[in-house]
Amino acid sequence: MNFDHSPKVQELCRRLTCFMDDHIIPRIRQHHDDIAAGIFPVSFVDDLKQLAKSEGLWNLFLPDLKADEGGAGLTNLDYAPLAEIMGRVSWAAEIFNCSAPDTGNMEILHMFGTGAQKKHWLAPLLAGKIRSAFAMTEPDVSSSDATNIQTIIRRDNANYIINGRKWFISNAAHPNCKVMIVMGKTDPDNADRHRQQSMILVPMDSAGVTVERNIPIMHHHSPEGHCEITFRDVCVPTGNILGGEGDGFMMAQARLGPGRIHHCMRSIGQSELALDLMVERALERKAFGKYLHQHGAVSEWIARSRMEIDQARLLVLKTADMIDKVGAKSAAKEISMIKAVVPKMQTVIADRAMQVFGAMGISPDTPLADIWTWGRALRYADGPDEVHLRTIARLEIGESRNSPGATLPYLTPPLRT
Ligand SMILES: Cc1cc2nc3c(=O)[nH]c(=O)nc-3n(C[C@H](O)[C@H](O)[C@H](O)COP(=O)(O)OP(=O)(O)OC[C@H]3O[C@@H](n4cnc5c(N)ncnc54)[C@H](O)[C@@H]3O)c2cc1C
């Protein structure tokens, strides 16, 4: 494993950092104030997107996308430090057309879309003209297990008719969100539980689609939304099916591999920011005659945070490298490992930083409460921790089963006479 970034990636990191310093970080306050005043989409976002595009800082996430298709030709390993830089500001990834859930949806369309689907939906997504949502989770069933979902996609001659209820659908309240990839069942009685599901493209303005509410996350209200949506006899042409009938489960797996790693890369950036804030505060504030960093508890939090971030980053880089070299399927254990490690680490480090800030730490005057909340949310989004731990244990145990008795020479039981 060689984690040195190539000269091309180092140069992109430099340019991205300059863009963040010049155009994004100075606008954090205005973004915050616009959202608080109910101005959404924020006025300058489209201008910044155009600027980022003109500077070639655009669609950096998609490894298979060639330059003439609008991609940057970067591997997952190349993309990791760039996502980390973007991660420091919660809304920055969108400026570079690298934000979820659009990135995962673009990957699905890129991998499985027909020519017509690519022209209609992928091209405007890659150009940043529209946004999208991904609708899998349902209120009535445990959606960690995608075989449980109940939304029905029924064939009716040249159309499909969709009925169901979804919730926590990110981005669905964004005024530019024009399309959803909806997961439902086309063949609920198939004996193979992993062939019952399909994915279908549903325009947001289809008759029968109703955004019932935007659900706040803790007390945080995202204007782009995590929405509850009902589908009542929604009718779309058969040409909207992605892949084929029964391919939904397989495509969900394909979508989540890279998506999970992108979240984790950005989380490393957010954790670094939390640590930076913690250290600066500890250097400037005094209690009981000493600077905060001179108190043992605080210096231990700083040290532990540094160690945890560096460990997590190495695991993320290793995972990115594996996805590039052997594919997401063979990197399943590593993908689950980073997904179980990184969001939790983000909440732990944000929690320490909030403590160092005193009461201010849980106010909106620092980004720490948002960093904590997003880390907490990521412990569910793209699969809860426990499901990932189960995957890791299953794969680890499977490997051990392949070499029974390998540890026997290490055992030294007393000889029986
Ligand atoms: C901020 C946010 C954004 C989201 N965005 C989207 C989106 O855009 N689209 C979308 O479709 N969904 C989205 N989700 C939903 C998310 O993917 C689901 O919440 C997640 O998959 C878990 O499903 P569930 O909520 O039904 O929990 P359940 O499946 O009911 O699980 C509940 C709990 O059971 C436990 N559990 C489950 N399985 C196991 C197991 N095998 N072993 C041990 N314990 C287990 C876990 O502790 C788990 O948290 C989002 C969620 C959040 C918080």
Side-chain angles (χ1 to χ4, degrees):
M1 274 176 289
N2 176 6
F3 294 151
D4 286 342
H5 301 306
S6 67
K8 175 183 169 183
V9 173
Q10 287 178 33
E11 175 58 14
L12 274 172
C13 284
R14 188 193 64 72
R15 285 171 42 213
L16 185 64
T17 304
C18 288
F19 195 101
M20 294 284 292
D21 289 345
D22 293 346
H23 304 295
I24 292 190
I25 293 166
R27 289 186 170 83
I28 289 174
R29 172 170 289 275
Q30 192 191 339
H31 193 279
H32 183 272
D33 292 349
D34 277 7
I35 299 277
I39 302 169
F40 188 77
V42 171
S43 53
F44 55 78
V45 162
D46 273 344
D47 292 342
L48 286 187
K49 282 173 141 182
Q50 290 311 316
L51 191 61
K53 200 191 274 186
S54 71
E55 294 196 10
L57 298 170
W58 192 254
N59 289 340
L60 303 168
F61 66 97
L62 201 53
D64 299 332
L65 199 67
K66 297 179 190 71
D68 59 350
E69 295 174 302
L74 300 174
T75 63
N76 284 291
L77 185 59
D78 290 338
Y79 180 57
L82 300 162
E84 182 178 330
I85 294 167
M86 294 175 208
R88 287 175 74 96
V89 178
S90 61
W91 47 270
E94 185 192 346
I95 303 297
F96 310 102
N97 215 34
C98 290
S99 55
D102 298 319
T103 46
N105 292 343
M106 286 188 260
E107 299 209 51
I108 286 279
L109 281 161
H110 179 64
M111 282 191 284
F112 303 106
T114 61
Q117 289 167 348
K118 286 182 180 171
K119 194 170 161 206
H120 201 103
W121 300 116
L122 180 58
L125 278 167
L126 285 170
K129 289 189 176 140
I130 62 167
R131 300 212 56 202
S132 62
F134 180 76
M136 184 167 85
T137 304
E138 299 181 0
D140 297 333
V141 291
S142 163
S143 303
S144 308
D145 178 354
T147 63
N148 282 340
I149 59 164
Q150 293 180 331
T151 293
I152 289 293
I153 305 174
R154 181 175 54 80
R155 178 95 189 234
D156 182 21
N157 298 316
N159 297 314
Y160 282 104
I161 311 294
I162 305 158
N163 280 286
R165 181 183 288 269
K166 302 283 183 183
W167 70 348
F168 291 95
I169 307 310
S170 301
N171 224 22
H174 196 297
N176 291 341
C177 181
K178 300 296 181 202
V179 66
M180 264 178 293
I181 295 180
V182 177
M183 177 113 151
K185 286 194 176 173
T186 37
D187 188 7
D189 299 323
N190 193 318
D192 180 350
R193 296 181 71 224
H194 299 111
R195 295 291 307 165
Q196 297 174 347
Q197 305 79 11
S198 300
M199 283 190 194
I200 194 154
L201 290 156
V202 178
M204 283 303 286
D205 61 3
S206 307
V209 170
T210 309
V211 175
E212 304 283 352
R213 62 175 176 143
N214 178 359
I215 308 168
I217 300 301
M218 311 298 281
H219 293 293
H220 181 77
H221 178 89
S222 320
E224 72 276 17
H226 303 290
C227 299
E228 182 164 354
I229 303 176
T230 48
F231 299 81
R232 288 197 186 89
D233 293 326
V234 176
C235 179
V236 297
T238 48
N240 282 25
I241 200 98
L242 275 159
E245 282 192 19
D247 287 343
F249 191 88
M250 174 274 293
M251 287 191 286
Q253 298 300 307
R255 182 186 185 280
L256 288 177
R260 283 168 179 154
I261 197 164
H262 296 167
H263 276 314
C264 291
M265 291 165 178
R266 287 192 292 269
S267 281
I268 301 276
Q270 295 189 18
S271 305
E272 280 285 3
L273 176 61
L275 176 57
D276 287 348
L277 289 161
M278 187 188 334
V279 172
E280 280 209 29
R281 182 74 165 183
L283 278 168
E284 75 188 18
R285 200 130 163 125
K286 265 185 173 174
F288 300 96
K290 290 197 271 188
Y291 285 103
L292 294 182
H293 71 91
Q294 292 168 325
H295 292 277
V298 176
S299 72
E300 183 180 329
W301 292 339
I302 291 169
R304 288 200 180 283
S305 302
R306 169 49 57 217
M307 294 188 292
E308 288 157 8
I309 292 173
D310 283 9
Q311 288 172 29
R313 182 186 288 108
L314 284 171
L315 194 52
V316 168
L317 293 174
K318 178 192 171 193
T319 307
D321 195 41
M322 282 190 71
I323 296 177
D324 291 332
K325 287 181 177 153
V326 295
K329 201 169 174 195
S330 301
K333 187 167 77 172
E334 283 70 20
I335 292 170
S336 279
M337 278 159 53
I338 57 163
K339 184 61 184 43
V341 164
V342 179
K344 190 159 188 185
M345 174 196 76
Q346 178 175 340
T347 60
V348 169
I349 295 176
D351 186 73
R352 290 176 188 142
M354 288 193 284
Q355 195 70 9
V356 170
F357 265 80
M360 184 184 174
I362 52 171
S363 78
D365 293 359
T366 80
L368 291 167
D370 280 350
I371 293 174
W372 186 89
T373 304
W374 187 238
R376 188 68 189 84
L378 278 183
R379 292 187 59 203
Y380 305 109
D382 293 349
D385 291 359
E386 293 71 25
V387 173
H388 291 293
L389 293 172
R390 178 173 172 259
T391 302
I392 299 161
R394 188 168 42 80
L395 292 169
E396 192 69 21
I397 291 163
E399 284 164 24
S400 189
R401 278 215 179 97
N402 289 336
S403 52
T407 58
L408 273 179
Y410 297 90
L411 303 178
T412 51
L415 291 173
R416 295 215 176 92
T417 52

